[in-house]
């Protein structure tokens, strides 16, 4: 038996207060929150997620989207797609939410040290990847070439515009953005994200890739990277499933033999490649 | 444990003292009793509360109580309930929260006010089911306080099976019919002419202490033999079988087997199998507020992988078809559970077979999947 002090339910949230909340695009908000009492901790690894509770509405799993080096606060980017995320997006500065976490396996930022890293993001998938980019840029000498290939539906759905502009102009990372469809006023590229790999000649022996986006985007991206010779074990994806507990108890996030909450959300592609081929898993 | 000098005999007329002792020691005795045409688990304080003289006919999709020709107190197998309803209640409050000044939030964990349980009449398969759920809810990194608290305090009194239902297959799963350990006290009921008594084997300090409070005598070799014959008889009655040595690999190879299409047409996705299963642990949570909006609660409820909502994420359910939901359940139970927890999720109790309204039998499904591979091999050969 565990001593009583450690028996606090893993289901109990801790209070965090909204410092700032700003719109990324319609129905999509980025918020910074800080612990509202001494019990809250803010240390996390890039790619990990928290369960966010909105008073009376319920709870949703959301990955952190902020800089892991920044202590005392956490950043989340949320799209209003259901009742809880709608309530989250309607929060105001000063409101209090509940947080539990961080949970799950992080992006392998230590394992890929010394290598070229290609980060591929689809849509809101850029949010769980941003902490890994912050981390690699803060420890830039630990990595060889860095590239961010970001695809989204249309120019209006590009998130983190300021961050992207800053990285593009001032940071030692190669940033490319493409959109699926755009009007004539869009000066950038049009096409799916895998097209940004065309013309690239990554060295398979020293390149790793981190991918996050819709499952179909991750599948096509992973196979496109494998066609360039990059091994499945050097490609990482972040999975999404329904979750209620985040501690392997509610059973809902099962993905074949894995629990996405604890064995993921980040998986090496060779762990899940067979599962990707099974429909309705 | 059987055959040691601690093996004892408790006469039928002394069995009431078992209930009296556990009640005196502060436990709530729960065990089998007849209600609503079935043998269910509830509070049982007297021997008369037990289903004396009752048994049942079970088969795929069928359960009927019937009278025995004797006065056996445990002459039946498992009904629709399992012990998980006490340790992992169907609905439990996890915490409550109040809004405080300045928009603040205070969360208070729900307290468990129940007295410790004494489980009386745990079958060997269900004893294994407890151990399967222990692995889920007592993970040392983040134990569930409600489950861990109740399990740590519960007294487990096994009754070894002297008969098998048609749906039983514990012998395939290596979970019975005789309990080999992990209990406080194990009883085997013996009816021999006018003699009616229990062979009692203590399995823990609590079990020894309990036995000491009940009138008993030392068992002799004939008693020990009678107990062994009793569970041997149960084992011989078992007709269903799963070949488990390679079942994980078999199922991993067969995510696309056409049997799943046949199940798409048969399975009603009613979730009965998951409710009756003693190891199924999936849950949902419900967040509620009171009318003032200042007080919120979170409740956990049993849920089932057979519902559409279970796998819902933005954009829809991950498993919209019956085929994929039955496949998730069966492959989890018999295959992925091994990777997740190092043990099978099935204990061979047969409840899912009995309580399936259309009589789907997982032992048959596994056999048909295996046969389809053999047919294919023959065709290819």
């Amino acid at each position: 038996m565990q001593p009583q002090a450690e028996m606090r339910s893993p289901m109990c949230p801790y209070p965090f207060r909204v410092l700032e909340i700003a719109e990324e695009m319609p129905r999509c908000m980025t918020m910074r929150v800080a612990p509202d009492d001494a019990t809250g901790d803010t240390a996390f690894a890039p790619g990990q997620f928290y369960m966010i509770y909105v008073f009376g509405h319920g709870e949703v799993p959301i990955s952190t989207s902020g800089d892991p080096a920044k202590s005392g606060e956490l950043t989340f980017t949320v799209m209003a797609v259901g009742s809880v995320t709608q309530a989250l997006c309607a929060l105001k500065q000063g409101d209090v939410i509940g947080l539990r976490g961080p949970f799950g396996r992080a992006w392998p930022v230590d394992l890929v040290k010394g290598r070229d890293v290609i980060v591929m993001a689809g849509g809101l998938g850029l949010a769980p990847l941003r902490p890994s980019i912050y981390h690699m840029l803060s420890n830039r000498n630990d990595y060889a070439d860095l590239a961010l290939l970001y695809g989204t539906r249309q120019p209006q759905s590009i998130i983190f515009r300021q961050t992207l502009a800053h990285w593009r102009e001032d940071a030692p990372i190669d940033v490319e953005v493409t959109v699926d469809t755009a009007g004539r006023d869009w000066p950038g590229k049009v096409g799916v994200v895998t097209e940004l790999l065309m013309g690239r000649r990554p060295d398979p022996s020293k390149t790793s890739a981190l991918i996050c986006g819709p499952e179909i985007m991750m599948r096509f991206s992973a196979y496109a990277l494998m066609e360039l010779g990059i091994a499945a074990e050097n490609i990482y994806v972040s999975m999404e499933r329904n979750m209620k507990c985040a501690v392997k108890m509610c059973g809902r996030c099962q993905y074949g033999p894995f629990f996405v909450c604890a064995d993921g959300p980040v998986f090496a592609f060779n762990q899940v490649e067979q599962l990707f081929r099974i429909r309705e898993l | 444990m059987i055959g040691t000098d601690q093996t004892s005999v408790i006469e039928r007329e002394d069995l009431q003292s078992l209930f009296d002792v556990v009640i005196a020691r502060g436990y709530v005795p729960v065990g089998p009793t007849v209600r609503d045409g079935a043998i269910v688990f509830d509070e049982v304080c007297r021997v008369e509360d037990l289903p004396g003289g009752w048994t049942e006919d079970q088969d795929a999709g069928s359960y009927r109580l019937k009278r025995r020709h004797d006065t056996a107190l445990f002459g039946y197998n498992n009904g629709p309930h399992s012990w998980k309803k006490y340790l992992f209640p169907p609905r439990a409050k996890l915490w409550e929260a109040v809004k405080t000044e300045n928009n603040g939030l205070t969360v208070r964990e729900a307290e468990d006010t129940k007295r410790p349980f004494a489980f009386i009449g745990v079958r060997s398969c269900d004893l294994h089911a407890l151990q399967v759920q222990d692995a889920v809810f007592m993970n040392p990194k983040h134990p569930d306080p409600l489950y861990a608290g109740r399990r740590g305090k519960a007294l487990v009194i096994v009754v070894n099976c002297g008969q098998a239902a048609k749906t039983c297959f514990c012998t395939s799963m290596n979970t019975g019919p005789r309990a080999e350990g992990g209990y406080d006290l194990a009883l085997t009921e013996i009816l021999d002419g006018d003699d009616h008594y229990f062979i009692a084997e203590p399995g823990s300090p609590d079990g020894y202490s309990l036995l000491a409070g009940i009138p008993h005598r030392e068992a002799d070799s004939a008693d020990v033999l009678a107990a062994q014959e009793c569970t041997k008889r149960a084992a011989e009655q078992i007709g269903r079988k799963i070949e488990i040595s390679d079942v994980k690999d078999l199922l991993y190879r067969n995510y696309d087997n056409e049997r799943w299409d046949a199940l798409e047409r048969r399975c009603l996705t009613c979730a009965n199998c998951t409710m009756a299963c003693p190891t199924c642990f999936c849950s949902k949570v419900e967040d509620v507020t009171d009318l003032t909006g200042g007080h919120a609660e979170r409740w956990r409820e049993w849920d089932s992988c057979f519902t559409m909502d279970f796998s819902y994420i933005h954009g829809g359910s991950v498993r919209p078809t019956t085929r994929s939901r039955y496949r998730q359940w069966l492959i989890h139970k018999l295959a992925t559970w091994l990777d997740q927890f190092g043990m099978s999720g099935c204990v061979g109790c047969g409840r899912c077979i009995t309580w399936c309204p259309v009589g789907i039998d997982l032992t048959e499904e596994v056999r048909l999947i295996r046969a389809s591979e053999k047919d294919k091999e023959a065709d290819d050969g």
Side-chain angles (χ1 to χ4, degrees):
Chain A
M1 289 291 300
Q2 299 288 308
Q4 210 58 34
E6 289 173 36
M7 286 290 279
R8 187 180 200 267
S9 170
M11 295 296 281
C12 281
Y14 295 87
F16 276 66
R17 197 172 287 267
V18 178
L19 302 175
E20 183 193 8
I21 178 161
E23 188 177 273
E24 293 288 346
M25 61 173 148
R27 302 165 60 78
C28 178
M29 309 294 275
T30 290
M31 65 195 74
R32 288 167 49 229
V33 302
D36 200 43
D37 64 24
T39 58
D41 186 15
T42 58
F44 73 96
Q48 286 193 301
F49 69 94
Y50 285 77
M51 298 300 290
I52 305 186
Y53 171 68
V54 188
F55 193 88
H57 286 270
E59 210 177 35
V60 281
I62 305 283
S63 298
T64 52
S65 64
D67 187 345
K70 214 171 193 176
S71 72
E73 64 173 72
L74 291 165
T75 300
F76 298 99
T77 300
V78 182
M79 179 88 90
V81 292
S83 58
V84 180
T85 46
Q86 273 166 25
L88 258 175
C89 286
L91 290 175
K92 301 277 174 278
Q93 186 185 343
D95 285 346
V96 171
I97 55 173
L99 285 191
R100 325 185 262 128
F103 297 112
R105 269 188 15 167
W107 296 111
V109 288
D110 288 330
L111 213 61
V112 301
K113 275 183 184 170
R115 298 171 65 86
D116 294 342
V117 181
I118 299 175
V119 178
M120 293 184 76
L124 211 61
L126 181 58
L129 282 165
R130 190 166 68 161
S132 71
I133 301 171
Y134 280 130
H135 178 87
M136 290 188 287
L137 289 174
S138 301
N139 300 273
R140 188 64 187 86
N141 294 336
D142 288 345
Y143 304 92
D145 291 348
L146 298 180
L148 166 63
L149 310 181
Y150 174 38
T152 186
R153 284 193 190 155
Q154 54 211 7
Q156 303 91 289
S157 55
I158 293 173
I159 58 172
F160 307 148
R161 284 164 191 273
Q162 284 186 338
T163 314
L164 288 170
H166 166 68
W167 286 344
R168 204 196 287 265
E169 283 154 29
D170 301 322
I173 180 170
D174 176 14
V175 177
E176 283 202 75
V177 179
T178 182
V179 298
D180 294 346
T181 57
R184 284 186 200 160
D185 55 343
W186 168 248
K189 293 188 178 166
V190 175
V192 294
V193 69
T194 46
E195 288 176 26
L196 297 179
L197 285 170
M198 283 180 193
R200 286 182 178 264
R201 294 279 173 272
D203 177 352
S205 69
K206 59 186 282 271
T207 303
S208 293
L210 316 180
I211 315 175
C212 187
E215 240 170 84
I216 188 158
M217 170 268 173
M218 295 196 286
R219 191 169 80 218
F220 278 104
S221 300
Y223 285 126
L225 288 160
M226 285 165 73
E227 274 188 27
L228 294 173
I230 298 171
E233 67 254 35
N234 291 323
I235 299 170
Y236 296 85
V237 294
S238 181
M239 299 301 298
E240 185 183 10
R241 282 292 182 272
N242 185 309
M243 263 175 218
K244 299 294 181 206
C245 76
V247 287
K248 285 173 69 166
M249 259 183 223
C250 75
R252 302 177 80 104
C253 71
Q254 287 179 71
Y255 182 49
F258 302 117
F259 288 92
V260 170
C261 68
D263 304 314
V266 174
F267 292 94
F269 194 59
N270 63 333
Q271 286 182 286
V272 294
E273 189 187 351
Q274 290 305 316
L275 304 179
F276 259 73
R277 297 171 193 269
I278 301 167
R279 288 177 64 101
E280 297 186 17
L281 192 65
Chain B
M1 202 69 75
I2 198 156
T4 69
D5 54 357
Q6 293 294 335
T7 301
S8 303
V9 170
I10 301 172
E11 292 296 334
R12 156 71 183 81
E13 54 267 30
D14 291 324
L15 194 67
Q16 180 59 40
S17 37
L18 168 73
F19 292 86
D20 298 341
V21 172
V22 299
I23 292 167
R25 294 185 183 181
Y27 293 97
V28 179
V30 289
T33 194
V34 171
R35 201 175 63 216
D36 299 335
I39 293 167
V40 298
F41 293 150
D42 205 341
E43 198 168 327
V44 284
C45 295
R46 301 171 307 144
V47 168
E48 291 71 36
D49 295 333
L50 296 171
W54 285 102
T55 190
E56 83 281 75
D57 274 331
Q58 299 197 43
D59 208 339
S62 156
Y63 180 100
R64 293 288 180 276
L65 277 187
K66 65 175 188 185
R67 278 285 173 192
R68 290 178 63 94
H69 301 298
D70 60 26
T71 56
L73 296 172
F74 295 95
Y76 41 83
N77 294 96
N78 277 316
H81 288 189
S82 71
W83 306 99
K84 77 176 179 185
K85 74 171 187 166
Y86 295 106
L87 301 177
F88 166 47
R91 186 171 153 81
K93 184 157 74 178
L94 295 175
W95 48 256
E96 46 189 45
V98 286
K99 270 190 175 161
T100 53
E101 276 173 52
N102 190 23
N103 266 340
L105 172 69
T106 301
V107 178
R108 199 171 61 235
E109 191 172 340
E111 270 176 51
D112 187 14
T113 53
K114 282 265 192 290
R115 280 184 292 144
F117 292 108
F119 297 151
I120 299 176
V122 179
R123 304 301 187 169
S124 184
C125 55
D126 275 5
L127 182 68
H128 285 81
L130 291 177
Q131 291 158 1
V132 171
Q133 287 216 326
D134 289 349
V136 176
F137 291 112
M138 291 169 66
N139 179 329
K141 265 170 74 183
H142 38 65
D144 177 56
L146 180 62
Y147 184 99
R150 289 186 178 187
R151 177 74 162 111
K153 284 183 255 171
L155 202 59
V156 176
I157 300 167
V158 157
V159 172
N160 286 313
C161 287
Q163 68 290 310
K166 272 192 205 157
T167 44
C168 291
F169 57 103
C170 64
T171 42
S172 287
M173 306 314 294
N174 299 317
T175 56
R178 165 176 293 283
E180 302 290 353
Y183 50 74
D184 293 298
L185 187 67
L187 304 174
T188 307
E189 184 174 30
I190 308 290
L191 280 119
D192 184 9
D194 291 337
D195 294 336
H196 189 178
Y197 59 97
F198 293 85
I199 312 291
E201 301 159 65
S204 76
D206 282 345
Y208 282 98
S209 156
L210 185 61
L211 185 60
I214 304 166
H216 66 278
R217 67 168 169 83
E218 203 174 299
D220 60 29
S221 57
D223 299 322
V224 170
L225 195 65
Q228 284 168 345
E229 285 299 318
C230 176
T231 42
K232 198 170 150 222
R233 187 171 66 237
E236 284 165 2
Q237 289 174 8
I238 288 174
R240 279 183 160 82
K241 188 176 186 321
I242 291 187
E243 175 54 52
I244 59 158
S245 60
D246 63 341
V247 73
K248 185 177 105 172
D249 294 334
L250 173 78
L251 292 173
Y252 280 3
R253 284 195 303 270
N254 281 284
Y255 272 98
D256 282 324
N257 196 285
E258 62 201 15
R259 271 316 292 173
W260 309 122
D261 299 322
L263 287 156
E264 169 88 27
R265 294 187 291 274
R266 285 184 75 199
C267 173
L268 308 174
T269 67
C270 71
N272 263 15
C273 50
T274 54
M275 300 292 112
C277 177
T279 68
C280 272
F281 60 86
C282 287
S283 64
K284 61 180 167 191
V285 293
E286 190 181 40
D287 289 285
V288 295
T289 48
D290 66 2
L291 288 174
T292 69
H295 175 102
E297 295 180 351
R298 171 167 300 165
W299 291 73
R300 179 174 70 191
E301 288 176 32
W302 287 1
D303 199 3
S304 170
C305 53
F306 283 91
T307 70
M308 279 287 266
D309 184 58
F310 185 80
S311 63
Y312 181 87
I313 50 175
H314 165 52
S317 178
V318 171
R319 302 183 199 105
T321 62
T322 299
R323 174 188 193 280
S324 64
R325 280 177 266 156
Y326 186 88
R327 184 182 68 182
Q328 164 64 25
W329 178 75
L330 186 72
I331 295 187
H332 185 215
K333 203 80 357 200
L334 293 172
T336 52
W337 209 300
L338 287 152
D339 281 331
Q340 293 167 350
F341 297 104
M343 60 183 86
S344 176
C346 177
V347 295
C349 73
R351 285 181 177 92
C352 58
I353 306 171
T354 298
W355 296 99
C356 175
V358 294
I360 296 171
D361 173 355
L362 80 170
T363 68
E364 181 185 30
E365 295 310 321
V366 170
R367 196 166 54 250
L368 289 169
I369 289 170
R370 193 181 294 281
S372 74
E373 270 196 341
K374 291 219 174 86
D375 290 349
K376 221 165 150 241
E377 263 172 43
D379 289 349
D380 294 347

